[in-house]
Amino acid sequence: MLPQRFLRPPRTIESTDSARNAALAMDHHHVGSLVVVRNGEPVGIVTDRDLALNVLGERRDPGDYPVSFCMSGPLVTLRHDRTLADASRTMRRAGVRRLPLVNETGALVGFVSSDDMIGLIGRGLDALSRAVRRGFAVEADEEADAPWSVFGKE
C-alpha cells in the first residue's frame, strides 16, 4: 500500500487552459507538474520542462497555446491501493517519473513522483544506518573486554 502522504488530490488544470496559466499555477502551488483534465477526467500531464521546451524554447507566446498543445499523454496512472514497488515498476516500464494515483472509478486521489520515492528510500536507508550503528555500539559495550573488534582481531 502506498504511504498516506501520496493520497492527496494532485493539482490539476483544464486541457483548454493556457500554457501561461499552467506556469502561473505551478509557481503558485510550488509544483513542477499538473495533471491535465478534460471534463474532469485525467488525460495527460504537463511539466515545467514541457512548458520550457515546447512553448518558450520555440518562442511561442504561452498565452496563445492551450495546455493540451504541450502536455504529455496518454496519461499513465496507478491505482492508489498498489505498492511503492508497483509504482517503481510502472514508472520504469512506461518511462515516466510521475504517476497520478486513481481510485477504483478512475478518479484522481493522489500523486507520486520518482523524487518522492527517492526521498523515502533515503530516509529509510538513514534509519537503517542509525539502527546498525546503535547495534555496533551495544555490541562494543557488551564486549569491551574482548581482544577483538567488529573489524577483526586487533
Side-chain angles (χ1 to χ4, degrees), residues 46-70:
V46 63
T47 67
D48 48 7
R49 188 169 196 270
D50 293 329
L51 296 173
L53 296 178
N54 300 326
V55 180
L56 299 176
E58 296 295 325
R59 297 183 179 173
R60 295 181 171 116
D61 183 340
D64 292 341
Y65 288 86
V67 170
S68 60
F69 173 79
C70 59

Side-chain angles (χ1 to χ4, degrees), residues 136-152:
F136 284 156
V138 168
E139 288 176 12
D141 286 346
E142 290 174 358
E143 301 174 2
D145 297 327
W148 55 274
S149 73
V150 294
F151 300 107

Side-chain angles (χ1 to χ4, degrees), residues 47-126:
T47 67
D48 48 7
R49 188 169 196 270
D50 293 329
L51 296 173
L53 296 178
N54 300 326
V55 180
L56 299 176
E58 296 295 325
R59 297 183 179 173
R60 295 181 171 116
D61 183 340
D64 292 341
Y65 288 86
V67 170
S68 60
F69 173 79
C70 59
M71 73 178 193
S72 299
L75 188 63
V76 178
T77 62
L78 184 73
R79 286 269 307 263
H80 74 289
D81 55 357
R82 303 306 298 258
T83 65
L84 283 173
D86 293 326
S88 176
R89 188 172 22 266
T90 301
M91 286 179 185
R92 187 179 67 250
R93 287 181 179 161
V96 298
R97 297 182 309 187
R98 298 165 182 86
L99 281 176
L101 304 173
V102 296
N103 66 13
E104 300 78 16
T105 65
L108 287 171
V109 296
F111 192 85
V112 63
S113 72
S114 57
D115 289 352
D116 295 330
M117 293 173 62
I118 289 168
L120 278 177
I121 292 167
R123 285 189 291 283
L125 288 174
D126 180 56

